[in-house]
């Protein structure tokens, strides 16, 4: 073990008490297969703190009714709680107006919304730039548009150290580029994308920018005004909130011009037998009964997260990442992916001669939850020259002891498949 690592492990981060934080997450106290749970599948979905569980239970127990539609007391109370949650999202991403926040059922739906509504304004031959790091949720909706409208998908590449290749990206921008859709942080490599530079270059070329923040927003503060992005996507279940809820930030000037995504109640201003007029954003994009209690849970999750010491969390997660990287890179037959110097707390690896599904099954028997497979990022797997890998992803509540448990687990896998 190197000196730097010893320093990292021994030196507590001032004011950051992971033991205290863990008490907020009831599930972390449970055992799996008779072993303490070591939950390292946070990039797939994170666990939920008590304030989220309490807010959702309270909403169902005390204020539940449909929103926006009723003149009765409960509908009013439910609407206030729901709209307060929208304010929490607004604060979390620092949007100027609350009308710029649209609730969706997740990150995937938010991207599909833009692909469908903004996509309707694109013509054959218009270009959309994606990066090689995108997960399927930020690829497939654009393929639909390629099939439907004949838009051309172009691919921003990575440097050999897994950083975003800005020089190559610059060359992709043409007068036909209408949109750049990139991830804030790769769910496989952990690479943090140089957003400000991409947005500046894209805007100079006349293109809009959508940032998929489903991973990035968990680990980094987001300021959509400072970034000047056109769209920013987030998802509740990775942000310590419930599943079934996500959000889209869109600049109001764009939202105002975009067609609705789905038709139904709420999104409409007036309907007659031969005419419809649309509601204003955000309601224009929220057809039907929204995920009311999930939105309230998301609001509670974001309020919880922002109440914590986020720089302390970031330092803690970086220390975990440094620890796991150092330990795993010292093991023969283990190959690590994601070498970018600026990366989030995700470590993806391959054990020579052992299928990732076997790796994760053996780790599971030791109570360790990791993910195995393509991580919904087949183009990236292709670039890495693999068909699958194992991913351990860290959250604010993970500990150095859990890193050590993972490393012991990996050594056991190597023994098992010797
Ligand atoms: C970077 C990224 N974008 C989008 C998504 C999809 O989000 P959701 O599960 O909310 O649809 C994921 C989920 O894995 C993701 O990692």
């Amino acid at each position: 073990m190197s000196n730097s690592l010893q320093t990292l492990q021994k030196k507590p981060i001032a004011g950051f008490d992971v033991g205290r934080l863990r008490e907020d997450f009831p599930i972390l106290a449970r055992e799996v297969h008779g072993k303490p749970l070591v939950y390292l599948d946070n990039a797939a979905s994170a666990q939920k703190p008590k304030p989220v569980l309490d807010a959702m239970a309270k909403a169902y127990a005390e204020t539940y009714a449909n929103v926006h539609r009723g003149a009765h007391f409960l509908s009013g109370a439910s609407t206030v709680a729901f709209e307060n949650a929208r304010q929490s999202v607004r604060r979390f991403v620092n949007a100027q107006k609350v009308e710029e926040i649209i609730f969706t059922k997740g990150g995937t739906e938010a991207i599909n919304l833009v692909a469908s509504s903004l996509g309707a304004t694109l013509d054959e031959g218009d270009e959309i730039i994606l990066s090689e790091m995108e997960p399927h949720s930020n690829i497939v909706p654009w393929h639909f548009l390629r099939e439907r409208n004949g838009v051309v998908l172009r691919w921003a590449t990575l440097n050999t150290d897994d950083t975003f290749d800005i020089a190559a990206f610059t060359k992709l921008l043409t007068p036909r580029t209408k949109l750049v859709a990139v991830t804030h942080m790769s769910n496989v490599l952990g690479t943090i994308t140089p957003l400000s530079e991409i947005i500046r270059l894209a805007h100079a070329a006349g293109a809009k920018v959508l940032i998929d923040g489903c991973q990035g927003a968990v680990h980094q503060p987001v300021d959509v005004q400072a970034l000047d992005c056109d769209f920013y996507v987030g998802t509740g279940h990775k942000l310590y909130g419930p599943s079934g809820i996500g959000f889209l930030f869109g600049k109001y000037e764009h939202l105002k011009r975009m067609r609705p995504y789905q038709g139904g109640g709420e999104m409409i201003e007036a309907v007659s037998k031969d005419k419809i007029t649309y509601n204003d954003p955000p309601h224009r994009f929220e057809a039907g009964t929204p995920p009311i209690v999930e939105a309230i849970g998301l609001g509670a999750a974001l309020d919880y997260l922002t109440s914590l010491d986020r720089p302390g969390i970031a330092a803690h997660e970086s220390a975990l990442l440094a620890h796991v990287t150092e330990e795993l890179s010292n093991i023969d037959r283990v190959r690590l992916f994601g070498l970018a110097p600026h990366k989030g707390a995700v470590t993806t690896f391959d054990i020579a001669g052992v299928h990732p599904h076997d790796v994760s099954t053996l780790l599971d028997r030791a109570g360790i939850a990791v993910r195995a497979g393509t991580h919904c990022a087949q183009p990236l797997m292709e670039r890495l020259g693999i068909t699958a890998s194992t991913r351990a992803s860290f959250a604010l509540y993970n500990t150095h002891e859990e890193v050590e448990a993972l490393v012991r687990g990996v050594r056991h896998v190597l023994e098992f498949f010797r």
Side-chain angles (χ1 to χ4, degrees):
M1 198 186 287
S2 78
N3 287 338
S4 65
L5 182 58
Q6 283 174 0
T7 321
L8 265 175
Q9 281 179 263
K10 281 180 185 156
K11 198 170 142 203
I13 290 148
F16 185 79
D17 183 352
V18 69
R20 227 303 295 128
L21 279 182
R22 287 177 70 83
E23 289 168 11
D24 289 343
F25 292 81
I27 202 170
L28 298 180
R30 70 159 291 166
E31 295 192 338
V32 167
H33 305 308
K35 309 272 168 27
L37 168 67
V38 175
Y39 189 76
L40 301 178
D41 194 19
N42 296 286
S45 210
Q47 300 300 346
K48 323 301 172 200
K50 274 189 239 149
V52 170
L53 306 177
D54 292 348
M56 294 179 77
K58 186 168 183 290
Y60 277 124
E62 294 177 22
T63 58
Y64 184 76
N66 210 333
V67 290
H68 297 143
R69 296 174 195 189
H72 62 81
F73 177 85
L74 281 185
S75 180
S78 194
T79 302
V80 168
F82 178 74
E83 289 303 328
N84 279 345
R86 200 189 302 275
Q87 283 289 0
S88 295
V89 180
R90 185 202 66 72
R91 280 194 300 276
F92 184 73
V93 298
N94 193 32
Q96 199 183 7
K97 299 167 180 256
V98 75
E99 293 81 4
E100 295 179 315
I101 305 299
I102 298 159
F103 282 125
T104 63
K105 74 177 165 68
T108 302
E109 190 179 50
I111 297 170
N112 273 277
L113 189 163
V114 179
S116 169
S117 300
L118 185 80
T121 64
L122 302 188
D123 297 320
E124 191 174 340
D126 282 346
E127 295 171 6
I128 296 177
I129 301 179
L130 310 174
S131 89
E132 288 182 331
M133 292 187 284
E134 302 313 311
H136 297 163
S137 44
N138 197 26
I139 297 176
V140 180
W142 311 111
H143 266 301
F144 283 2
L145 206 54
R146 178 186 59 73
E147 291 178 340
R148 215 166 45 233
N149 292 18
V151 301
V152 177
L153 304 185
R154 314 209 53 197
W155 294 87
T157 51
L158 304 180
N159 295 306
T160 48
D161 66 354
D162 296 325
T163 52
F164 186 91
D165 187 341
I166 277 283
F169 168 72
T170 310
K171 290 194 194 121
L172 290 177
L173 290 162
T174 76
R176 299 236 48 184
T177 312
K178 294 292 182 284
L179 183 77
V180 175
V182 288
T183 189
H184 185 161
M185 173 186 148
S186 163
N187 65 326
V188 177
L189 302 173
T191 302
I192 304 281
T193 314
L195 297 183
S196 296
E197 222 172 333
I198 291 171
I199 293 164
R200 186 177 53 75
L201 290 164
H203 283 173
K208 296 185 176 63
V209 182
L210 175 143
I211 305 298
D212 174 356
C214 290
Q215 298 290 340
V218 182
H219 303 282
Q220 300 216 311
V222 180
D223 185 336
V224 293
Q225 292 187 69
L227 280 173
D228 194 29
C229 57
D230 300 278
F231 303 97
Y232 191 97
V233 169
T235 191
H237 66 96
K238 298 186 207 274
L239 281 161
Y240 309 103
S243 56
I245 186 78
F247 64 85
L248 170 70
F249 156 82
K251 281 185 181 166
Y252 197 75
E253 63 196 269
H254 302 328
L255 296 179
K256 187 80 187 155
R257 280 195 231 109
M258 279 161 53
R259 281 182 59 78
Y261 169 51
Q262 293 180 327
E266 267 321 296
M267 48 72 62
I268 215 79
E269 194 178 60
V271 184
S272 68
K273 282 187 178 160
D274 51 14
K275 194 165 169 274
I276 48 173
T277 51
Y278 305 137
N279 209 336
D280 288 330
H283 306 296
R284 178 185 300 176
F285 300 101
E286 294 178 359
T289 298
I292 301 164
V293 177
E294 288 78 3
I296 292 167
L298 171 62
L302 299 183
D303 292 349
Y304 170 78
L305 190 53
T306 45
S307 76
L308 302 176
D309 166 18
R310 290 200 82 189
I313 293 170
H316 174 66
E317 290 180 350
S318 298
L320 295 175
L321 182 65
H323 187 174
V324 74
T325 305
E326 168 126 4
E327 292 276 2
L328 291 185
S329 59
N330 282 334
I331 302 179
D332 283 346
R333 287 174 61 195
V334 172
R335 178 179 166 206
L336 292 177
F337 302 98
L339 306 169
H342 189 33
K343 63 171 281 188
V346 166
T347 186
T348 297
F349 58 95
D350 186 41
I351 301 183
V354 190
H355 193 279
H357 286 159
D358 292 330
V359 177
S360 75
T361 303
L362 276 188
L363 290 175
D364 178 60
R365 286 195 205 150
I368 305 168
V370 294
R371 184 136 296 238
T374 64
H375 317 296
C376 294
Q378 281 177 16
L380 180 59
M381 294 294 117
E382 202 179 306
R383 179 187 183 275
L384 298 174
I386 52 176
T387 49
S389 58
T390 307
R391 178 184 72 188
S393 51
F394 298 86
L396 56 87
Y397 42 65
N398 289 123
T399 64
H400 289 281
E401 290 72 31
E402 290 180 316
V403 169
E404 276 150 23
L406 173 68
V407 173
R408 276 197 304 280
V410 167
R411 288 192 192 282
H412 173 67
V413 172
L414 284 164
E415 282 288 303
F416 195 88
F417 286 98
R418 203 158 26 159

